[in-house]
Amino acid sequence: MALKTLSTFLTPLSLPNNKFPKIHTKPSLILCEFSRPSLPEGTGAAAPSPGEKFLQRHQSFESTKLILKDNKKTKKKDKPLKPSNSNAVTSCYGCGAPLQTSDNDAPGFVDPETYELKKKHRQLRTVLCGRCCLLSHGKMITAVGGHGGYSGGKQFITAEDLRQKLTHLRNAKALIVKLVDVVDFNGSFLSRVRDLAGANPIIMVVTKVDLLPRDTDFNCIGDWVVEAITRKKLNVLSVHLTSSKSLVGITGVISEIQKEKKGRDVYILGSANVGKSAFINALLKTMAINNPVAASARRYKPVQSAVPGTTLGPIPINAFLGGGKLYDTPGVHLHHRQTAVVHSEDLSSLAPKSRLRGLSFPSSQVFLDNTKEGAPTVNGLNGFSIFWGGLVRIDVLKALPETCLTFYGPKRIPIHMVPTEKADEFYQKELGVLLTPPSSREKAENWRGLDSERKLQIKFEDAERPACDIDISGLGWLTVEPVSRSHKFKQQKPIEIAGELLIAIHLPKPVEIFVRPPIPVGKAGAEWYQYRELTDEEQEMRPKWYF
């Protein structure tokens, strides 16, 4: 006989009413526990990543600021709409600033009607704020002030606030992609990057290598960069030479990210105007070929602009098939760069637009004229001053006759050489005219001037190679080298190498200069550059570089 179920015995239809008396009892609640099917390991809702937690916290703080700011204002009949009364606020996908409808000059402003329409259709994440629209059309609109910010234009956020938004990376499990501008290598390096990145692994990306002079040997450049990183004692996984414009080296960075990501979020980190947004766009463009997620993300990508401080908040981007997000972060503003002292309208002149070409002083023709038979004694640069726009003045106090200074920087900033005795008069007369930036007489009236002086003593050790580079933070660099090397002609008499160069450099007070080993650019760089012999231990510890 088959075993009957419990329902068979207790079903009311199976009980004859005439055989059992009616029993009245109080209704009771019976709790039944059913066994649940066991889930395989690794399934279920995924916990939010550290990047998602940080983004939620950032949005909550920004929303609270907007509400408090609105409550301080007097109530009006036609009161502007607030983005949201919730604990989170949507940000502009172009710059990361929280969307708002109250201040049309501030970042994140959206027309109230447009905001309400997009909100109704749940499309706020597709909204570009008014400032980003202007930046994308070439307008120079700054928003960052304070220590490392800018004096020209209206300011809405401080450089310290932007840096504070990156402090969570120290405790997060993330992969850091650190960008450095090859034109301003020392000024954009972020030597204290471990204060932000913590113990997270770092991939070093050197940007804008397409701006280096023609015939540059990138084997020499790669070795030079690794040597510089080794001297700074920064432990990195690998070094990549890239160009966001020509997409050179981008594929190698993508391969390294996929290899080292291991489920973590990826953060693009670097100083202001180092090219983070352009680099992300190059990543997405290259990844979109085989990655539909990256192809979809290209539709709403961060805005590129020559204005340092374009990105004002973290911008999460879905770019990976296997999970994890790519984050564009606010640039770290550094007070010691030229970008921190010039007017906002002059910022574009500091960014090179085309390939660099060395401009040497004295010129080859001047040197040849002075070395002809019967010519007066060669004096070289002694007693001369060289102005690099209105930003830098270099007084040559003592130099060998064969010494040459070769300048590498933006072509829009002119270079003039005058006798030192007339330098003060020339600067006062031509500031804002021939010496730009500042780009006009009106801006020159508010210019702080060259109120800092630093004297350098440089020794020549080898007549066949440059003595050193002098890197002007945020502008470019100049190479101290023999005339025969810079102008590529043979000397009639041997070059004297026993001596030194003494110069005085005048700059705006916050701007710093860095004396470094010469970077081997151009065809001549490959001829004089010397590779250092490495021990087996050094060979194993040094990061590999890729191009």
Side-chain angles (χ1 to χ4, degrees), residues 137 143-144 176 260 288 322 345 348 402 410 461 479 512 523:
H137 287 82
V144 183
I176 307 297
E260 302 292 342
E345 296 180 3
S348 60
E402 299 82 6
E461 297 180 355
T479 301
E512 291 186 7
K523 186 178 180 180

Side-chain angles (χ1 to χ4, degrees), residues 188-233:
S188 64
F189 190 82
L190 292 183
S191 58
R192 300 180 62 183
V193 67
R194 282 296 177 187
D195 292 346
L196 298 174
N200 289 310
I202 296 176
I203 298 174
M204 176 74 73
V205 174
V206 181
T207 63
K208 306 178 185 180
V209 297
D210 57 319
L211 296 178
L212 293 177
R214 295 187 183 278
D215 300 323
T216 296
D217 189 339
F218 287 100
N219 289 314
C220 300
I221 297 295
D223 187 77
W224 183 89
V225 171
V226 172
E227 280 290 318
I229 295 173
T230 303
R231 286 192 298 270
K232 293 179 180 294
K233 299 180 180 180

Side-chain angles (χ1 to χ4, degrees), residues 202-406:
I202 296 176
I203 298 174
M204 176 74 73
V205 174
V206 181
T207 63
K208 306 178 185 180
V209 297
D210 57 319
L211 296 178
L212 293 177
R214 295 187 183 278
D215 300 323
T216 296
D217 189 339
F218 287 100
N219 289 314
C220 300
I221 297 295
D223 187 77
W224 183 89
V225 171
V226 172
E227 280 290 318
I229 295 173
T230 303
R231 286 192 298 270
K232 293 179 180 294
K233 299 180 180 180
L234 180 63
N235 184 22
V236 299
L237 298 175
S238 58
V239 178
H240 300 262
L241 308 181
T242 68
S243 167
S244 300
K245 183 178 180 180
S246 62
L247 303 183
V248 169
I250 300 298
T251 303
V253 180
I254 295 173
S255 299
E256 188 73 5
I257 289 175
Q258 296 288 5
K259 174 185 175 182
E260 302 292 342
K261 188 166 73 71
K262 300 176 182 177
R264 293 173 291 196
D265 292 326
V266 180
Y267 290 81
I268 310 300
L269 192 66
S271 62
N273 210 33
V274 76
K276 295 185 299 300
S277 297
F279 174 73
I280 289 176
N281 292 339
L283 279 183
L284 295 177
K285 184 177 182 179
T286 306
M287 294 171 63
I289 300 175
N290 300 315
N291 184 345
V293 177
S296 177
R298 289 192 65 202
R299 186 175 181 183
Y300 305 107
K301 55 189 179 182
V303 169
Q304 296 178 226
S305 171
V307 177
T310 299
T311 303
L312 300 177
I315 303 177
I317 303 171
N318 293 317
F320 306 111
L321 287 171
K325 290 187 177 182
L326 179 68
Y327 283 86
D328 188 7
T329 62
V332 179
H333 288 70
L334 304 173
H335 72 283
H336 60 70
R337 304 180 74 191
Q338 290 281 6
T339 51
V341 298
V342 302
H343 193 276
S344 59
E345 296 180 3
D346 294 332
L347 287 171
S348 60
S349 63
L350 298 179
K353 301 294 191 301
S354 58
R355 192 180 294 273
L356 302 179
R357 294 183 61 184
L359 184 59
S360 298
F361 291 88
S363 64
S364 57
Q365 186 60 44
V366 171
F367 186 80
L368 285 173
D369 292 342
N370 288 335
T371 54
K372 291 179 180 178
E373 293 184 5
T377 305
V378 178
N379 196 36
L381 292 173
N382 286 291
F384 283 91
S385 296
I386 301 176
F387 288 94
W388 201 347
L391 304 176
V392 182
R393 169 183 164 180
I394 302 172
D395 296 337
V396 182
L397 306 179
K398 177 185 177 183
L400 297 173
E402 299 82 6
T403 301
C404 175
L405 301 181
T406 303

